[in-house]
Amino acid sequence: MVVQLLILAIVGGVIGWITNLLAIKMLFRPFQPVSIPLINFKIQGLIPKRKAEIARSIGQTVETELLSIEEIIDKLVKSNNKDEILILLKNKITVIVANHLPSIIPSTFKGMISKYINDVIDEEGDKIITEAIEKMIEKATTSIELSKMIEDKVNEFEMEELERIVVNIAKTELKHIEVLGGILGFIIGIFQGIIILLL
């Protein structure tokens, strides 16, 4: 009686483990649709079958919930970056004034021109850069589709590579699912054995 119960429990455990193992594998495999003869039914891994839909969903989620073009540009040009841009502009203008104005213009006048331009940059530079950033954001939001870019990138992924990445990231959790399948199968096998033996 105990041996029969143990055999049924082991068989249940093996079935539960194999079932979960196959379920995990079938998330990705088969990569291409496989036709089953006679019943006119095709099987394909869940992720390959719905890859385009998943890619679209990831792209939209990233753009609407996580990161927008406006945020990206805003992060790129913070106030300390503005200061760096202003310094860069002043240095560039000083070089241009010194090297490109005709040599007949006295250096005193060149210094005055350079100082005047630097004063204008100090007064108006922040406003000019802010306006430029706003225009960049406006242009970027109309011309760059972040969600589409992400969708295209996900769609370009080879399924083998995508499977490898997912399995590497979640291998511990996937192994737990397999083991849990075996444990549940074992417990169900014990209950089945008890029912069979009692009847």
mmCIF file of all heavy atoms in Angstrom, residues 9 22 24 48 63 70 78 80 84 104 111 128 130 135 146 154 174 198:
data_model
loop_
_atom_site.group_PDB
_atom_site.id
_atom_site.type_symbol
_atom_site.label_atom_id
_atom_site.label_comp_id
_atom_site.label_asym_id
_atom_site.label_seq_id
_atom_site.Cartn_x
_atom_site.Cartn_y
_atom_site.Cartn_z
ATOM 1 N N ALA A 9 2.841 8.982 -6.188
ATOM 2 C CA ALA A 9 3.351 10.312 -5.832
ATOM 3 C C ALA A 9 4.542 10.683 -6.709
ATOM 4 O O ALA A 9 4.634 11.821 -7.206
ATOM 5 C CB ALA A 9 3.740 10.340 -4.361
ATOM 6 N N LEU A 22 7.872 21.944 -19.823
ATOM 7 C CA LEU A 22 7.354 22.139 -21.193
ATOM 8 C C LEU A 22 6.653 23.495 -21.327
ATOM 9 O O LEU A 22 6.791 24.167 -22.344
ATOM 10 C CB LEU A 22 6.388 21.012 -21.568
ATOM 11 C CG LEU A 22 7.026 19.672 -21.911
ATOM 12 C CD1 LEU A 22 5.966 18.601 -22.085
ATOM 13 C CD2 LEU A 22 7.874 19.775 -23.178
ATOM 14 N N ILE A 24 7.312 26.239 -19.723
ATOM 15 C CA ILE A 24 8.352 27.277 -19.801
ATOM 16 C C ILE A 24 8.982 27.289 -21.191
ATOM 17 O O ILE A 24 9.167 28.344 -21.794
ATOM 18 C CB ILE A 24 9.422 27.059 -18.700
ATOM 19 C CG1 ILE A 24 8.825 27.352 -17.318
ATOM 20 C CG2 ILE A 24 10.646 27.934 -18.945
ATOM 21 C CD1 ILE A 24 9.648 26.837 -16.158
ATOM 22 N N PRO A 48 7.105 34.266 -29.523
ATOM 23 C CA PRO A 48 7.269 34.481 -30.967
ATOM 24 C C PRO A 48 5.945 34.818 -31.666
ATOM 25 O O PRO A 48 5.901 35.651 -32.566
ATOM 26 C CB PRO A 48 7.821 33.146 -31.474
ATOM 27 C CG PRO A 48 8.421 32.493 -30.292
ATOM 28 C CD PRO A 48 7.642 32.967 -29.105
ATOM 29 N N GLU A 63 7.385 54.856 -23.335
ATOM 30 C CA GLU A 63 7.177 56.268 -23.687
ATOM 31 C C GLU A 63 6.161 56.951 -22.778
ATOM 32 O O GLU A 63 6.362 58.097 -22.379
ATOM 33 C CB GLU A 63 6.721 56.386 -25.142
ATOM 34 C CG GLU A 63 6.640 57.828 -25.619
ATOM 35 C CD GLU A 63 6.395 57.953 -27.102
ATOM 36 O OE1 GLU A 63 5.420 57.372 -27.592
ATOM 37 O OE2 GLU A 63 7.187 58.631 -27.777
ATOM 38 N N GLU A 70 10.642 64.555 -24.103
ATOM 39 C CA GLU A 70 10.825 65.799 -23.350
ATOM 40 C C GLU A 70 11.768 65.588 -22.165
ATOM 41 O O GLU A 70 12.656 66.407 -21.913
ATOM 42 C CB GLU A 70 9.469 66.317 -22.826
ATOM 43 C CG GLU A 70 8.526 66.813 -23.904
ATOM 44 C CD GLU A 70 7.551 65.734 -24.350
ATOM 45 O OE1 GLU A 70 7.933 64.542 -24.336
ATOM 46 O OE2 GLU A 70 6.431 66.089 -24.729
ATOM 47 N N LYS A 78 20.522 70.391 -18.484
ATOM 48 C CA LYS A 78 20.154 70.937 -17.178
ATOM 49 C C LYS A 78 20.868 72.275 -17.001
ATOM 50 O O LYS A 78 21.679 72.687 -17.823
ATOM 51 C CB LYS A 78 20.564 69.975 -16.066
ATOM 52 C CG LYS A 78 19.621 68.805 -15.899
ATOM 53 C CD LYS A 78 18.306 69.292 -15.342
ATOM 54 C CE LYS A 78 17.380 68.119 -15.031
ATOM 55 N NZ LYS A 78 16.053 68.573 -14.714
ATOM 56 N N ASN A 80 23.306 73.269 -15.143
ATOM 57 C CA ASN A 80 24.778 73.259 -15.148
ATOM 58 C C ASN A 80 25.313 73.056 -16.571
ATOM 59 O O ASN A 80 26.362 73.568 -16.925
ATOM 60 C CB ASN A 80 25.322 72.174 -14.201
ATOM 61 C CG ASN A 80 24.846 70.781 -14.566
ATOM 62 O OD1 ASN A 80 23.819 70.622 -15.213
ATOM 63 N ND2 ASN A 80 25.585 69.780 -14.147
ATOM 64 N N GLU A 84 27.881 75.460 -19.015
ATOM 65 C CA GLU A 84 28.979 74.946 -19.850
ATOM 66 C C GLU A 84 28.822 75.412 -21.298
ATOM 67 O O GLU A 84 29.802 75.777 -21.953
ATOM 68 C CB GLU A 84 28.997 73.407 -19.801
ATOM 69 C CG GLU A 84 29.474 72.852 -18.470
ATOM 70 C CD GLU A 84 29.307 71.341 -18.378
ATOM 71 O OE1 GLU A 84 29.153 70.694 -19.426
ATOM 72 O OE2 GLU A 84 29.327 70.826 -17.248
ATOM 73 N N ILE A 104 43.159 94.957 -39.915
ATOM 74 C CA ILE A 104 43.224 96.426 -39.816
ATOM 75 C C ILE A 104 42.438 96.947 -38.607
ATOM 76 O O ILE A 104 42.615 98.081 -38.183
ATOM 77 C CB ILE A 104 42.718 97.117 -41.108
ATOM 78 C CG1 ILE A 104 41.279 96.702 -41.435
ATOM 79 C CG2 ILE A 104 43.615 96.830 -42.271
ATOM 80 C CD1 ILE A 104 40.626 97.587 -42.486
ATOM 81 N N GLY A 111 38.797 93.590 -28.716
ATOM 82 C CA GLY A 111 38.515 93.285 -27.304
ATOM 83 C C GLY A 111 37.165 93.833 -26.874
ATOM 84 O O GLY A 111 36.414 93.168 -26.152
ATOM 85 N N ILE A 128 18.115 82.466 -24.479
ATOM 86 C CA ILE A 128 18.303 81.934 -25.840
ATOM 87 C C ILE A 128 18.385 80.403 -25.814
ATOM 88 O O ILE A 128 17.743 79.716 -26.614
ATOM 89 C CB ILE A 128 19.569 82.540 -26.491
ATOM 90 C CG1 ILE A 128 19.354 84.037 -26.767
ATOM 91 C CG2 ILE A 128 19.934 81.811 -27.786
ATOM 92 C CD1 ILE A 128 20.632 84.798 -27.067
ATOM 93 N N THR A 130 17.265 78.386 -23.452
ATOM 94 C CA THR A 130 15.960 77.848 -23.042
ATOM 95 C C THR A 130 15.008 77.798 -24.233
ATOM 96 O O THR A 130 14.317 76.794 -24.447
ATOM 97 C CB THR A 130 15.346 78.696 -21.903
ATOM 98 O OG1 THR A 130 16.269 78.722 -20.809
ATOM 99 C CG2 THR A 130 14.018 78.133 -21.436
ATOM 100 N N LYS A 135 12.353 74.660 -28.580
ATOM 101 C CA LYS A 135 12.155 74.368 -30.002
ATOM 102 C C LYS A 135 12.607 72.944 -30.325
ATOM 103 O O LYS A 135 11.972 72.236 -31.114
ATOM 104 C CB LYS A 135 12.915 75.379 -30.867
ATOM 105 C CG LYS A 135 12.230 76.730 -30.940
ATOM 106 C CD LYS A 135 13.005 77.712 -31.788
ATOM 107 C CE LYS A 135 12.326 79.073 -31.775
ATOM 108 N NZ LYS A 135 13.136 80.098 -32.441
ATOM 109 N N LEU A 146 9.513 57.731 -29.915
ATOM 110 C CA LEU A 146 10.285 56.859 -29.034
ATOM 111 C C LEU A 146 9.685 55.459 -28.970
ATOM 112 O O LEU A 146 10.403 54.461 -29.038
ATOM 113 C CB LEU A 146 10.356 57.475 -27.629
ATOM 114 C CG LEU A 146 11.258 56.768 -26.618
ATOM 115 C CD1 LEU A 146 12.709 56.767 -27.089
ATOM 116 C CD2 LEU A 146 11.146 57.421 -25.258
ATOM 117 N N VAL A 154 12.906 45.946 -30.459
ATOM 118 C CA VAL A 154 12.454 44.657 -29.908
ATOM 119 C C VAL A 154 12.157 43.684 -31.044
ATOM 120 O O VAL A 154 12.513 42.508 -30.984
ATOM 121 C CB VAL A 154 11.219 44.838 -28.992
ATOM 122 C CG1 VAL A 154 10.660 43.485 -28.555
ATOM 123 C CG2 VAL A 154 11.578 45.672 -27.768
ATOM 124 N N LEU A 174 12.501 30.569 -12.888
ATOM 125 C CA LEU A 174 12.034 29.495 -13.768
ATOM 126 C C LEU A 174 12.320 28.128 -13.160
ATOM 127 O O LEU A 174 11.504 27.209 -13.252
ATOM 128 C CB LEU A 174 12.683 29.615 -15.160
ATOM 129 C CG LEU A 174 12.311 30.864 -15.968
ATOM 130 C CD1 LEU A 174 13.095 30.918 -17.260
ATOM 131 C CD2 LEU A 174 10.821 30.908 -16.257
ATOM 132 N N LEU A 198 -8.580 3.829 -1.238
ATOM 133 C CA LEU A 198 -9.770 3.808 -0.390
ATOM 134 C C LEU A 198 -11.003 3.253 -1.112
ATOM 135 O O LEU A 198 -11.947 2.812 -0.476
ATOM 136 C CB LEU A 198 -10.078 5.204 0.161
ATOM 137 C CG LEU A 198 -9.104 5.720 1.226
ATOM 138 C CD1 LEU A 198 -9.444 7.160 1.601
ATOM 139 C CD2 LEU A 198 -9.087 4.840 2.470
#
